[in-house]
Amino acid sequence: MAKITKLDDIVSLCKRRGFIFQSSEIYGGLASCYDYGPLGVELKNNVKKAWWKATVQMRDDIVGLDSSILMHPLVWKASGHTDKFADLIAECKKCNTRTRVDHLKEKIAEQSQEHTEHIAIDTAIAAAGELSNKTCPNCGSVGKFTEPMPFKLMFETQMGANVDDSMTLQLRPETAQGIFANFRNVLDTARVRIPFGIAQIGKSFRNEVTTKAFIFRTREFEQAELEFFCQPGTDEDWFGRWKELRFNWYTDLGIRKENLRLREHSGDELAHYAKACVDVEYKFPFGSGDWQELEGIANRTDYDLRQHQRGMRTLNKWFENGRDLANIELAEEAGDYQSGPLSYFDDEQKARYIPYVIEPSAGIDRSALAFLVDAYDEEQVRSETRNLLRFHPALAPIKVAVFPLVKRDGLPDIAHNICNDLKKHFNCFYDEKGAIGRRYRRQDEAGTPFCVTVDGQTKEDKTVTVRDRDSMDQIRVSTDQMLSYFREKLET
Ligand code: ATP
């Protein structure tokens, strides 16, 4: 029970302190859509910065990309999303509620809504079995379900103003395909050589059947995806390396090891394109305290590039090497696809091939929720409960808060100047309202690692009090030393 309370605590803290609001709240809210408030947007930006730093900035072998949300419909045809990206659902004839069949099955067994992947429809039909003994999670009726039916997860929209040239497009359900569609462009322009990766952060959209647990599963969300291209045969080695690197990314940013695990997918759980897949899972405080996916790391083989080569062929665009092959399947059998437009010539191996791909695919919103949950703490300080977020400094929305002890004797001016100086380097916040103890508590709840207080002594010896969020220890630091002090503490 304590864990359920904990998610409620997080939700209420997020609302109270301006991390996360319900979307369109003034009109009664829009289900499963959320807005990030002043502290939330800083947290989310910091999660994205930390991912980008570890994935792009600190590596020589990975470059970035920002592809558009709207793409040519053939992209989704080639990737398999148009035909396969659907959940199998059944509708309760009594209350008309639709439920994912795979969730329904699991709910009966484990009373959990959240665990299953989107799985291929044929696998789901086989797994669904008899629905006659299944209970509706909404109204409790037994055996009142319709036959299972596929429910497409991609949102559609219209593009173009004229009737003649308007077309139906999909909002992307993942950012990955924008990377595959730009593989050739990046290869030709960025001086990259295999093994190398292309990284992207951006919004994705899925018309999820069930959305629950705050920002864990929403219909609009942000993903951070890396497609790491390597030579076939080296893929298993890279898969192993990325598993470790991605696990460590979370723990380096403060997630406790006991709350994080890697879970390998079994054969029947694997997506149609994957040779292997492992999920990074976090022990979220939902239900009875469930392990839930934060990130999937998949060995996608050469599936996507191969599919896009086929797609290009459909559009008759495969003229490279003077070839216009009449039958792509025959060409593939003959091994010619290995020299198609999305192939790579490996100078060292003196061979041309379609690279294999390892894909770590993380959810920014889910990670932000995990960082919030893991950082959340309640402490008894004398007769008071202190709520705090023990964020890693890199993630903390505000790094330093600056207060004048009182609103007179020139202290606000000194504090303003200090705050403005520090702002050039870190996100800082000035506050002069209320008792100093209350100002500290507010920053504890926002997860601010340090507070600086300017008092009478500051005018005499140019020192300030620096208070540490976690230990509540206070030390005096000279204003000359302050920047290097914070640099050392915050830039870890
Ligand atoms: P799930 O099984 O939870 O629906 P998935 O296996 O379909 O997720 P992927 O397609 O592997 O998810 O997407 C990669 C990552 O994107 C997930 O690990 C998750 O962090 C994030 N993600 C996917 N769907 C959502 C969603 N509806 N809301 C928030 N984040 C999501």
Side-chain angles (χ1 to χ4, degrees):
M1 286 312 283
K3 284 189 166 158
I4 296 171
T5 320
K6 200 170 169 190
L7 186 64
D8 288 347
D9 290 343
I10 302 282
V11 175
S12 93
L13 182 139
C14 283
K15 169 93 211 262
R16 191 168 72 242
R17 294 309 320 275
F19 277 93
I20 297 164
F21 309 119
Q22 177 79 61
S23 161
S24 319
E25 200 180 285
I26 58 167
Y27 289 102
L30 180 65
S32 94
C33 294
Y34 290 92
D35 299 340
Y36 288 78
L39 290 178
V41 65
E42 299 292 344
L43 170 65
K44 199 172 162 187
N45 282 344
N46 290 341
V47 173
K48 289 192 270 189
K49 269 190 231 159
W51 187 88
W52 198 264
K53 184 172 180 190
T55 313
V56 182
Q57 187 185 327
M58 299 298 289
R59 295 188 65 107
D60 295 332
D61 55 354
I62 300 180
V63 292
L65 182 79
D66 183 12
S67 69
S68 69
I69 288 173
L70 298 175
M71 297 180 77
H72 197 293
L74 284 178
V75 168
W76 307 114
K77 185 75 188 154
S79 67
H81 285 85
T82 308
D83 300 322
K84 295 206 175 98
F85 198 58
D87 278 338
L88 194 70
I89 56 162
E91 188 168 312
C92 172
K93 289 183 217 155
K94 188 128 184 249
C95 70
N96 297 333
T97 303
R98 291 171 165 187
T99 309
R100 262 166 75 167
V101 168
D102 56 334
H103 277 178
L104 189 63
K105 194 166 170 277
E106 209 173 287
K107 194 174 175 77
I108 301 303
E110 295 176 19
Q111 293 298 307
S112 160
Q113 273 266 15
E114 292 294 344
H115 203 78
T116 352
E117 307 284 312
H118 299 297
I119 52 179
I121 294 297
D122 39 2
T123 321
I125 290 177
E130 259 303 298
L131 291 182
S132 63
N133 62 351
K134 300 288 195 292
T135 314
C136 172
N138 186 48
C139 71
S141 307
V142 178
K144 295 280 185 225
F145 290 105
T146 59
E147 283 300 302
M149 51 193 160
F151 178 80
K152 296 212 167 185
L153 294 171
M154 281 197 291
F155 282 99
E156 290 190 341
T157 189
Q158 291 300 119
M159 183 163 102
N162 301 314
V163 178
D164 288 352
D165 59 16
S166 95
M167 66 200 294
T168 302
L169 296 183
Q170 291 82 19
L171 302 188
R172 67 179 177 200
E174 60 173 37
T175 63
Q177 296 307 323
I179 297 180
F180 293 122
N182 279 291
F183 171 72
R184 187 81 246 167
N185 284 338
V186 174
L187 202 57
D188 290 346
T189 55
R191 302 178 68 83
V192 284
R193 299 175 71 179
I194 274 179
F196 77 94
I198 306 178
Q200 158 154 250
I201 297 178
K203 290 259 176 155
S204 294
F205 303 82
R206 297 181 188 178
N207 195 9
E208 300 277 5
V209 182
T210 43
T211 56
K212 273 205 173 146
F214 201 34
I215 54 169
F216 179 82
R217 188 189 304 285
T218 51
R219 295 195 169 106
E220 173 181 341
F221 54 96
E222 218 157 346
Q223 289 185 307
E225 297 196 294
L226 165 68
E227 307 304 321
F228 194 84
F229 301 94
C230 61
Q231 189 189 354
T234 63
D235 50 307
E236 286 177 20
D237 183 38
W238 279 110
F239 182 67
R241 284 202 235 175
W242 279 111
K243 265 186 347 194
E244 195 183 320
L245 284 167
R246 292 304 307 148
F247 187 92
N248 292 345
W249 182 78
Y250 293 96
T251 53
D252 288 350
L253 286 171
I255 297 266
R256 280 163 284 179
K257 275 209 172 80
E258 64 267 27
N259 292 337
L260 204 67
R261 72 175 187 191
L262 289 169
R263 188 182 67 84
E264 304 271 349
H265 285 213
S266 57
D268 57 356
E269 229 186 314
L270 285 178
H272 58 281
Y273 52 75
K275 175 172 161 188
C277 188
V278 64
D279 286 344
V280 182
E281 293 189 334
Y282 180 74
K283 200 163 195 287
F284 274 106
F286 315 141
S288 51
D290 279 340
W291 290 99
Q292 303 286 347
E293 172 182 340
L294 279 186
E295 164 164 354
I297 303 163
N299 181 342
R300 291 179 82 117
T301 67
D302 58 359
Y303 175 83
D304 301 270
L305 289 178
R306 194 129 68 101
Q307 282 298 104
H308 286 303
Q309 247 187 205
R310 286 184 174 181
M312 292 166 79
R313 166 69 192 144
T314 317
L315 267 183
N316 254 336
K317 286 215 169 141
W318 188 355
F319 292 115
E320 206 165 85
N321 309 331
R323 274 182 205 173
D324 178 15
L325 299 165
N327 183 318
I328 188 74
E329 272 79 27
L330 281 181
E332 288 195 354
E333 266 170 39
D336 277 357
Y337 74 92
Q338 294 283 16
S339 57
L342 299 185
S343 65
Y344 170 83
F345 184 73
D346 192 321
D347 295 337
E348 275 171 30
Q349 306 295 322
K350 300 277 175 273
R352 187 171 271 283
Y353 54 79
I354 307 245
Y356 266 37
V357 173
I358 307 302
E359 176 196 73
S361 169
I364 295 294
D365 312 78
R366 269 190 207 178
S367 313
L369 183 59
F371 287 122
L372 272 163
V373 168
D374 219 75
Y376 184 80
D377 203 2
E378 282 175 17
E379 232 179 41
Q380 212 52 39
V381 182
R382 292 179 289 279
S383 57
E384 232 189 294
T385 307
R386 179 169 91 111
N387 294 334
L388 72 159
L389 289 167
R390 296 186 190 273
F391 283 134
H392 184 281
L395 299 182
I398 300 166
K399 312 296 183 198
V400 183
V402 185
F403 314 141
L405 183 63
V406 288
K407 267 200 277 182
R408 56 185 147 76
D409 305 334
L411 300 189
D413 283 347
I414 301 172
H416 265 305
N417 288 340
I418 289 176
C419 191
N420 288 339
D421 279 348
L422 289 175
K423 269 184 181 171
K424 291 174 201 151
H425 308 274
F426 318 106
N427 204 18
C428 299
F429 181 79
Y430 175 86
D431 189 8
E432 57 179 28
K433 288 187 219 79
I436 194 79
R438 281 181 62 83
R439 281 183 261 168
Y440 284 147
R441 293 289 181 274
R442 284 180 63 79
Q443 293 308 317
D444 289 343
E445 271 199 332
T448 307
F450 296 102
C451 294
V452 166
T453 302
V454 173
D455 54 19
Q457 198 183 326
T458 312
K459 289 207 283 191
E460 286 160 25
D461 64 4
K462 291 203 164 66
T463 64
V464 291
T465 302
V466 174
R467 174 197 182 258
D468 179 284
R469 172 197 68 202
D470 294 339
S471 63
M472 294 191 288
D473 288 346
Q474 301 193 7
I475 56 164
R476 297 234 31 127
V477 176
S478 125
T479 48
D480 299 346
Q481 299 298 313
M482 217 166 33
L483 180 58
S484 55
Y485 177 83
F486 287 132
R487 278 220 155 116
E488 199 205 309
K489 298 275 181 191
L490 294 167
E491 290 174 356
T492 52

